[in-house]
Amino acid sequence: IQTIANEWGFDLGDVTKNENIHDGMTGTPLFMGIRVLFGHPTRSLFDDIESLFYVAMYALSHLSLGPSASPAFNVHENKTAAYVKLGSVTSRISYLESFGVKVCSDDVKAQLDLLYQLLFYRDNQFIGEELTEGKAEARVVDTTIMRKIIGSYLADRIYGPQVDKDTPVAKAPAKRKTRAAKPKKPAPKKPKPADNNNNQDSIRDRFRPRPGRSIK
């Protein structure tokens, strides 16, 4: 453990003390971000992501160079290490070579490029000077980059479904108004056919003599 402590640039005896304090300098100096190495006390999530970026650079440089890691990881004094890291990330094209990375698959490089852009660029401008000044607001969450890093499924759960502004939203077809069917009028009832027997009886009754009257 002491050998690793010497290689990574931390005092093994101070680890427990720093972890109990939980100050901004808690961690491994070899992988600390630029803002933290310059002594700015407020550490953000972006600083931790930057540390993860340096861990990846360190591992890939070992695959390329063997045990003798990149010179960018051979400096242990805080501010000097900060300036060395700042110089290593200045070029978007050659930052991998600056960290001694020569072997890297296309898929890994694509993810590292996204992390690099998220950490060191804002609105297509390099923010190295702002990081040395300790401006935490220099970094902003770019949801477009984050979606590419973490994938659409997880991004939709965090940020909500992505809506393309250039694509018009399809409107639902208008519902056709249907007129209410008028109630049908009942068909007229057909008159019942006359009963001839009853008609004849009524005629007889009309001409039948009444009591007390004589027929002239």
Side-chain angles (χ1 to χ4, degrees), residues 168-176:
V169 179
K171 295 182 179 180
K175 293 182 178 180
R176 296 179 62 183

Side-chain angles (χ1 to χ4, degrees), residues 82-166:
Y83 280 117
V84 170
K85 288 178 179 176
L86 184 61
S88 299
V89 299
T90 301
S91 173
R92 182 184 296 184
I93 299 174
S94 59
Y95 73 91
L96 287 173
E97 290 79 2
S98 298
F99 285 103
V101 177
K102 298 181 180 180
V103 178
C104 183
S105 67
D106 292 339
D107 292 341
V108 173
K109 185 180 183 303
Q111 291 298 314
L112 291 174
D113 286 345
L114 291 172
L115 275 177
Y116 172 86
Q117 185 177 349
L118 181 70
L119 293 170
F120 306 112
Y121 274 79
R122 186 187 69 246
D123 298 330
N124 210 31
Q125 297 292 325
F126 184 66
I127 59 171
E129 184 176 352
E130 296 179 57
L131 295 177
T132 61
E133 297 171 355
K135 295 180 180 179
E137 66 275 10
R139 287 165 168 163
V140 295
V141 177
D142 189 325
T143 55
T144 302
I145 297 177
M146 291 301 297
R147 285 180 179 277
K148 293 178 181 179
I149 293 175
I150 64 180
S152 59
Y153 173 75
L154 186 58
D156 287 346
R157 297 189 64 181
I158 297 175
Y159 303 113
Q162 186 176 17
V163 178
D164 190 352
K165 296 180 180 180
D166 297 331

Side-chain angles (χ1 to χ4, degrees), residues 190-199:
K190 294 181 180 180
K192 295 181 178 180
D195 191 349
N196 292 332
N197 294 331
N198 292 336
N199 289 339

Side-chain angles (χ1 to χ4, degrees), residues 33-70:
I34 295 171
R35 288 183 63 257
V36 178
L37 289 172
F38 270 105
H40 301 294
T42 305
R43 189 166 69 182
S44 70
L45 177 61
F46 279 109
D47 296 315
D48 292 334
I49 296 176
E50 185 181 357
S51 295
L52 179 62
F53 175 81
Y54 294 135
V55 170
M57 293 294 101
Y58 182 84
L60 291 171
S61 68
H62 269 60
L63 290 176
S64 301
L65 303 176
S68 57
S70 166

